[in-house]
Amino acid sequence: MNDSPAKKPLQLISKIAVRFFLILWSLVVLYPVLWTFLTSLKDNQQVMLGKPWDFPSIFRFENYTNVWSRANFGDYFLNSIIVTVASTLLSLIMAATTAYILARFTFKSRGLFYFVYVASMMIPTTLGLIPLFFLLGDMNLSNSLVGLTLVYSVGTIGILPFGIFFLVGFYKTLPRELEEAATIDGSSLYGVFFKIMLPLSKPGLITVGIMNALTVWNEYIMATVLINDPAKYTIPVGIAIMQGEMQYRTEWGPLFAGLSISMIPVIVMYVLYQRQITGGLTAGALKG
């Protein structure tokens, strides 16, 4: 049915208002990122005396090489990569298998298990700090990247419960006829999961993986308490140490260069997988 002529001006005004709000919101979000990159290319004099929105008078690209080599930022970056990749893969394996069982099999206390996993997302991270500190000490994993990876992957910061919560809804959207056809063809339970269901859940796994990777990449509290060797610091801890040291040496350019480097992997992930993120979130939201 065609809209009446009286509604067209209202629709046009509504469309303009929505676009104006979206443009304004984009500027609010993008300005801090742009400001960080611009500041990373300035010298101390321009940072202290110039205006925040000024372009660098001279582009100081050496700020990036200085922070990478002199401030051990390369070690922090490598440690974060190792911990993020390992904990994300481990949590995905556990979340996918657990979610598949909870979504597809009927057994006693299934609802209770699901409730416990979902409810654990509401537990503050700080409540587990002291018990985990002593537990890792008893397991000889304190002050190690392996211990920090295990802490992240088992759900202390919520990535495993979130993955289970999301993937349970995702598996419920997949048709049961595919499992039944594979079973009739002689496939085992493991074959059905690894050859049929796991490939079909790829959009959900990518979405959960990216969300988990971002959470681990930015995690600070656990890494601060559980790691005390400077050679094993992750990027959030390293930047905090750098901020404490560089504010007294007034090396704002290298400090903002470190912040810019830490944002690059996050931006790259969003650019490469933005369609999978939105598509996976939509699919996972169909059945919660």
Coordinates of all heavy atoms in Angstrom, one line a residue, residues 13-27:
I13 N 11.5 13.7 7.5 CA 12.1 14.3 8.7 C 12.6 13.2 9.6 O 13.7 13.4 10.2 CB 11.0 15.2 9.4 CG1 10.6 16.4 8.5 CG2 11.5 15.6 10.8 CD1 9.5 17.2 9.1
S14 N 11.9 12.1 9.8 CA 12.3 11.0 10.6 C 13.6 10.4 10.1 O 14.6 10.2 10.9 CB 11.3 10.0 10.7 OG 11.7 8.9 11.4
K15 N 13.7 10.3 8.8 CA 15.0 9.7 8.2 C 16.1 10.6 8.4 O 17.3 10.2 8.8 CB 14.7 9.4 6.7 CG 15.9 8.7 6.0 CD 15.6 8.5 4.6 CE 14.4 7.6 4.3 NZ 14.2 7.3 2.9
I16 N 15.9 11.9 8.2 CA 17.0 12.9 8.4 C 17.5 12.9 9.9 O 18.7 13.0 10.2 CB 16.6 14.3 7.9 CG1 16.4 14.3 6.4 CG2 17.6 15.4 8.4 CD1 15.8 15.6 5.9
A17 N 16.5 12.9 10.8 CA 16.9 12.9 12.2 C 17.7 11.7 12.6 O 18.6 11.8 13.4 CB 15.6 13.0 13.1
V18 N 17.3 10.5 12.1 CA 18.0 9.3 12.4 C 19.4 9.4 11.9 O 20.4 9.0 12.6 CB 17.3 8.1 11.9 CG1 18.1 6.8 12.0 CG2 16.0 7.8 12.6
R19 N 19.6 9.8 10.6 CA 20.9 9.9 10.0 C 21.8 10.9 10.7 O 23.0 10.7 10.9 CB 20.8 10.2 8.5 CG 20.2 9.0 7.8 CD 20.2 9.3 6.3 NE 19.7 8.1 5.6 CZ 19.6 8.0 4.3 NH1 20.0 9.0 3.5 NH2 19.1 6.9 3.7
F20 N 21.2 12.0 11.1 CA 21.9 13.0 11.9 C 22.4 12.5 13.2 O 23.6 12.7 13.6 CB 21.1 14.3 12.1 CG 21.7 15.3 13.0 CD1 22.7 16.2 12.4 CD2 21.4 15.4 14.3 CE1 23.3 17.1 13.2 CE2 22.0 16.4 15.1 CZ 22.9 17.2 14.6
F21 N 21.6 11.7 13.9 CA 22.0 11.1 15.2 C 23.1 10.1 14.9 O 24.1 10.1 15.7 CB 20.8 10.4 15.8 CG 21.1 9.7 17.1 CD1 21.4 10.4 18.3 CD2 21.3 8.3 17.0 CE1 21.7 9.7 19.4 CE2 21.6 7.6 18.2 CZ 21.8 8.3 19.4
L22 N 23.0 9.3 13.9 CA 24.0 8.3 13.6 C 25.4 8.9 13.3 O 26.4 8.5 13.7 CB 23.6 7.4 12.5 CG 22.4 6.4 12.8 CD1 22.0 5.6 11.6 CD2 22.8 5.5 13.9
I23 N 25.3 10.0 12.5 CA 26.6 10.7 12.1 C 27.2 11.3 13.4 O 28.4 11.2 13.6 CB 26.3 11.8 11.1 CG1 25.9 11.2 9.7 CG2 27.5 12.7 10.9 CD1 25.4 12.1 8.7
L24 N 26.3 11.9 14.2 CA 26.8 12.5 15.5 C 27.5 11.5 16.4 O 28.5 11.7 16.9 CB 25.7 13.2 16.2 CG 26.1 14.0 17.5 CD1 27.0 15.1 17.2 CD2 24.8 14.5 18.1
W25 N 26.8 10.3 16.5 CA 27.3 9.2 17.3 C 28.6 8.7 16.8 O 29.5 8.4 17.5 CB 26.3 8.1 17.4 CG 26.7 7.0 18.2 CD1 27.1 5.7 17.8 CD2 26.8 6.9 19.7 NE1 27.4 5.0 18.9 CE2 27.2 5.7 20.0 CE3 26.5 7.9 20.6 CZ2 27.4 5.3 21.4 CZ3 26.7 7.6 22.0 CH2 27.2 6.3 22.3
S26 N 28.7 8.6 15.4 CA 30.0 8.1 14.8 C 31.1 9.1 15.1 O 32.2 8.6 15.4 CB 29.8 8.0 13.3 OG 28.8 7.1 13.0
L27 N 30.8 10.4 15.1 CA 31.9 11.3 15.4 C 32.3 11.2 16.9 O 33.5 11.3 17.2 CB 31.4 12.8 15.1 CG 31.2 13.1 13.6 CD1 30.6 14.5 13.5 CD2 32.5 13.0 12.8

